[in-house]
Amino acid sequence: MKNIIVPLFTTLLILSCSKSTEDEFNEVNGNVAEKYVKSVQVIDNVNGNTTLTVNYGEANRVSSITDGSATSFFNYDSSNNLSSINDSDDTFSMSELYQAPYDAFETGQVLEYDDNSNPTKIKVYEDGYGSQLLTGTIIYDANPNPYFYTLKAAGGIAVLDRVDLNFGITDPSIIKARNLFPNNNIRAMIFKDNNGITKYEVQFSYTYGNDKYPLSASVSTLSVDETTSYSLIYTYK
């Protein structure tokens, strides 16, 4: 299986985030339990099942993430700050994100937020920078983003505080990356082209525990070519 852990993690850092310091996260969600994702099992009858496992080391830091066939290791400096992520193919240094400013317009752009500082309308490139731009609408449940404390344990929240993003091609518009991480859990994402035609859609249906964290989810992905579905099972520490 192709290793998607590092690209997924860096995409989270670069694009998927709202005004989400820990204080604001708690302000939006109330005094929620501080839980850490231990595993996410993907049950897919077509492509086969897989489990993404998060391992923790000293000081409750994320030490590695594996899908059973590929593993990414998280490395920290003497101050316990995330310094790099490496797998069998490459090492990604956090210093690459600190080059000011990071040209986020090459990935996409956040257009609108809701009252909880969640990005609700974004523009993304369908097939990389310079391809067709799609407008995405993101819908949220009222429950907290279940990955917040896991990202914090991986040093990701501290990284977000240090990264500047440039959302302007000719007229620079600089913001902090931490102003983009969603406080709530995503329920649906719908992407349309410039003519308003839906190209892609993802729908999540969750079963939540008493602590408002998801125990399982049914996921449906739709495009003009195919429709797929799979299930997720979450465990925490």
Side-chain angles (χ1 to χ4, degrees), residues 19-89:
K19 298 178 183 177
S20 206
T21 62
E22 188 169 0
D23 285 344
E24 182 174 88
F25 177 83
N26 289 327
E27 182 179 314
V28 168
N29 293 293
N31 189 24
V32 298
E34 189 168 321
K35 300 186 72 170
Y36 304 87
V37 174
K38 184 175 181 180
S39 68
V40 180
Q41 181 182 8
V42 182
I43 302 174
D44 188 333
N45 295 328
V46 176
N47 298 310
N49 301 343
T50 188
T51 299
L52 191 69
T53 302
V54 183
N55 299 306
Y56 297 82
E58 295 181 0
N60 207 32
R61 288 295 196 188
V62 172
S63 59
S64 63
I65 299 178
T66 181
D67 63 4
S69 61
T71 302
S72 290
F73 296 94
F74 289 63
N75 307 299
Y76 302 88
D77 62 22
S78 58
S79 299
N80 225 15
N81 296 315
L82 180 65
S83 57
S84 65
I85 305 172
N86 69 280
D87 57 26
S88 59
D89 298 321

Side-chain angles (χ1 to χ4, degrees), residues 113-174:
Y113 298 89
D114 64 16
D115 291 341
N116 287 343
S117 297
N118 298 308
T120 55
K121 182 176 285 188
I122 63 174
K123 280 191 176 293
V124 295
Y125 291 102
E126 183 174 23
D127 190 28
Y129 181 57
S131 63
Q132 179 179 213
L133 272 171
L134 301 179
T135 300
T137 299
I138 307 176
I139 303 168
Y140 299 85
D141 278 351
N143 290 0
N145 182 339
Y147 301 102
F148 179 84
Y149 286 110
T150 306
L151 186 60
K152 178 186 174 185
I157 298 300
V159 170
L160 293 177
D161 285 336
R162 295 182 58 185
V163 176
D164 290 322
L165 301 181
N166 176 17
F167 281 104
I169 299 177
T170 58
D171 183 16
S173 176
I174 312 300

Side-chain angles (χ1 to χ4, degrees), residues 6-7 9-11 13-14 73-75 82-87 89-98 102 159 163:
V6 170
F9 184 82
T10 52
T11 298
L13 294 182
I14 294 167
F73 296 94
F74 289 63
N75 307 299
L82 180 65
S83 57
S84 65
I85 305 172
N86 69 280
D87 57 26
D89 298 321
D90 197 11
T91 296
F92 183 86
S93 173
M94 293 301 107
S95 63
E96 295 181 37
L97 292 174
Y98 302 148
Y102 191 94
V159 170
V163 176

